[in-house]
Amino acid sequence: MDSETKTHYAMNKLSIIIPAFNEAARITPTLHSFHSFLENNFPSFEILVVDDGSTDETVTVVRSLMKELPRLKIIVCPGNKGKGNAVRAGMLAATGDMRLFSDADGSTPITEISKLLQPLLNNECDIAIGSRYAPGSEVVKAQPLYRRIWSRAANKLVQRILLPGIADPHCGFKCFKGDVAEKLFSLSKVNEWSFDLEILALALKFEKKIVEVPVKWIHDEQSKGRIRQVPQEIRNLRRIKKSMSEE
């Protein structure tokens, strides 16, 4: 990252929100890589791990890392309420001018963050979301075929019903201007995986500009997305669509 870019970033504080549920086995390398990169490139940042009622040693692991990673913080939510609840808690507790949430597996490397920040800092958009399907994206390790088919089919359904023109609403690498994050997440209600869809639908409702940015993405074999979640996500999709028309 050149000195001109660093100077540009120095004017803004960055918050990284990482939702975590039973991530003790894989969160350490993610936090080390994130903290190291940010420390070398961003004068002002914080990393907020939001524990969603883990039953393993996630909280203990993160707290032990806080001794060596000074910008790392943890928020412990009571009980397992869902990824959406954890991201909401992190976004509303964050203090950054720019707020990015990333999955705990680090499927999109933190080195890709500049691609999302540029259009935000240039006031080209209010929300920049990583995309595995935008031209220029790089899928280093792909999902199994059945998951790719499921993902593409789900995305087409979402585009048709709720988010026209957004090819990859589920990628876990999204960045918001701070004031936009506060407005949208203070209104959000969905706690499950489809919270992304509600946030983006709210953004469109309030005429916030969204851009999809091609990013590098590496499939993690321990990914927690499951086909059995599909019925609940379809119900959520219908509920979100209905709530957008009622409010």
Side-chain angles (χ1 to χ4, degrees):
M1 191 178 294
D2 59 43
S3 59
E4 183 178 348
T5 301
K6 286 187 178 182
T7 301
H8 193 34
Y9 291 161
M11 300 170 62
N12 296 274
K13 181 176 180 180
L14 176 65
S15 295
I16 307 294
I17 292 91
I18 301 178
F21 176 68
N22 290 348
E23 297 288 356
R26 64 177 182 172
I27 199 169
T28 295
T30 297
L31 295 179
H32 273 291
S33 65
F34 276 39
H35 197 281
S36 176
F37 177 80
L38 295 170
E39 194 169 43
N40 288 328
N41 292 285
F42 293 85
S44 181
F45 73 91
E46 61 181 355
I47 300 175
L48 303 177
V49 174
V50 186
D51 182 75
D52 185 35
S54 293
T55 56
D56 68 354
E57 297 300 312
T58 297
V59 173
T60 301
V61 169
V62 175
R63 284 180 172 158
S64 68
L65 290 171
M66 290 167 62
K67 299 173 184 177
E68 55 182 303
L69 306 178
R71 309 283 186 91
L72 176 62
K73 305 174 184 178
I74 188 167
I75 298 171
V76 180
C77 296
N80 175 227
K81 297 181 180 178
K83 182 180 179 182
N85 180 71
V87 174
R88 182 187 307 118
M91 284 287 179
L92 297 180
T95 58
D97 305 297
M98 303 292 165
R99 304 179 191 183
L100 176 137
F101 81 79
S102 172
D103 290 338
D105 60 9
S107 290
T108 299
I110 191 61
T111 51
E112 298 291 281
I113 192 172
S114 299
K115 297 178 181 178
L116 273 63
L117 288 175
Q118 286 291 359
L120 287 164
L121 293 170
N122 291 335
N123 289 315
E124 297 169 14
C125 64
D126 301 293
I127 304 168
I129 64 177
S131 176
R132 295 162 289 186
Y133 307 137
S137 63
E138 180 185 358
V139 178
V140 177
K141 182 178 180 181
Q143 296 172 307
L145 179 60
Y146 78 92
R147 292 197 62 169
R148 296 202 301 274
I149 294 172
W150 160 36
S151 178
R152 290 299 183 106
N155 287 351
K156 287 185 179 300
L157 180 64
V158 169
Q159 286 190 63
R160 186 180 307 120
I161 294 176
L162 191 66
L163 301 173
I166 298 180
D168 191 8
H170 286 105
C171 181
F173 203 70
K174 296 181 173 69
C175 196
F176 302 73
K177 290 183 176 179
D179 58 337
V180 174
E182 289 180 7
K183 178 171 185 176
L184 299 181
F185 281 92
S186 67
L187 294 172
S188 66
K189 300 173 184 177
V190 174
N191 290 334
E192 295 86 7
W193 288 80
S194 49
F195 79 95
D196 308 65
L197 310 184
E198 181 188 33
I199 290 297
L200 295 178
L202 284 168
L204 293 179
K205 179 177 180 177
F206 291 110
E207 300 182 337
K208 303 301 180 183
K209 179 70 180 296
I210 303 168
V211 299
E212 285 192 271
V213 179
V215 294
K216 179 184 294 185
W217 191 80
I218 307 163
H219 173 63
D220 189 324
E221 297 295 344
Q222 300 179 66
S223 174
K224 295 179 180 178
R226 298 290 183 268
I227 290 180
R228 64 173 179 270
Q229 296 165 333
V230 171
Q232 179 61 48
E233 299 311 311
I234 291 175
R235 287 192 290 270
N236 281 339
L237 179 59
R238 291 172 175 166
R239 189 175 76 181
I240 295 165
K241 176 67 173 179
K242 182 179 179 181
S243 69
M244 291 302 115
S245 60
E246 290 177 346
E247 296 176 2

